Amino acid sequence: MVYLITGGERSGKSGYAQELALQLTNAPMYVATARKWDEDFQNRIDRHQQERDERWTNIEKEKHLSEIDFSGKVALIDCVTLWLTNFFVDTKNDVALSLEEAKAEFLKIANQPDSTLIIVTNEIGMGLHADTHVGRKFTELQGWMNQFLAKNADTVVLMVSGIPVTIKG
């Protein structure tokens, strides 16, 4: 089962996804995809970790999510935007290669038996238009990956001002 939780910044995606995970199991897995770029990012990671109690198994994985055994587990993957950023930076902003690699990783994890994946992503294309060429390329990458994930998800929820709106499923 794959749930995709999408929406704008501070729309309530992560909180909703965490509540959903705890409804589905008493022992969810949290997969953080953030790369520790600087002290501010480390503070953000620390804050998010403090929001989760002892019921959670926390795993940090920047790119190769298929190295994690999701079989028989409920896992929250937070978030696609940071995950894609890692591919994008490592491929020197190659949209096609980043998309190919991320899709391949997703298909490997989605095909693991008896797993429930709750994937958080951002609708960055609904916000401000990127000022830079690289920013516009990343917005395209994010949009194409979101379309791919939504097509392959069983349920898609759009968060609007903290309100979950089911758009698929």
Side-chain angles (χ1 to χ4, degrees), residues 123-130:
E123 288 294 338
I124 63 173
M126 294 174 78
L128 298 172
H129 188 71

Side-chain angles (χ1 to χ4, degrees), residues 29 59 65-73 75 109 112-113 115:
M29 178 188 302
I59 298 173
L65 303 182
S66 63
E67 294 174 356
I68 301 169
D69 181 9
F70 292 102
S71 301
K73 297 181 178 100
I109 65 172
Q112 290 188 24
S115 62

Side-chain angles (χ1 to χ4, degrees), residues 38-64:
D38 55 26
E39 185 179 328
D40 183 53
F41 240 89
Q42 184 61 56
N43 291 337
R44 185 176 179 176
I45 291 167
D46 293 344
R47 187 180 73 244
H48 279 287
Q49 287 176 343
Q50 291 168 2
E51 292 172 357
R52 295 183 300 277
D53 59 29
E54 68 282 347
R55 294 174 289 182
W56 293 85
T57 298
N58 295 303
I59 298 173
E60 294 184 20
K61 201 68 165 165
E62 293 181 3
K63 284 175 53 179
H64 301 288

Side-chain angles (χ1 to χ4, degrees), residues 94-110:
D94 185 324
V95 172
L97 182 56
S98 297
L99 187 61
E100 178 185 330
E101 290 179 2
K103 283 180 175 181
E105 280 296 307
F106 169 77
L107 291 174
K108 288 177 191 174
I109 65 172

Side-chain angles (χ1 to χ4, degrees), residues 72-84:
K73 297 181 178 100
V74 173
L76 190 160
I77 300 169
D78 198 356
C79 78
V80 170
T81 305
L82 296 174
W83 185 54
L84 283 177

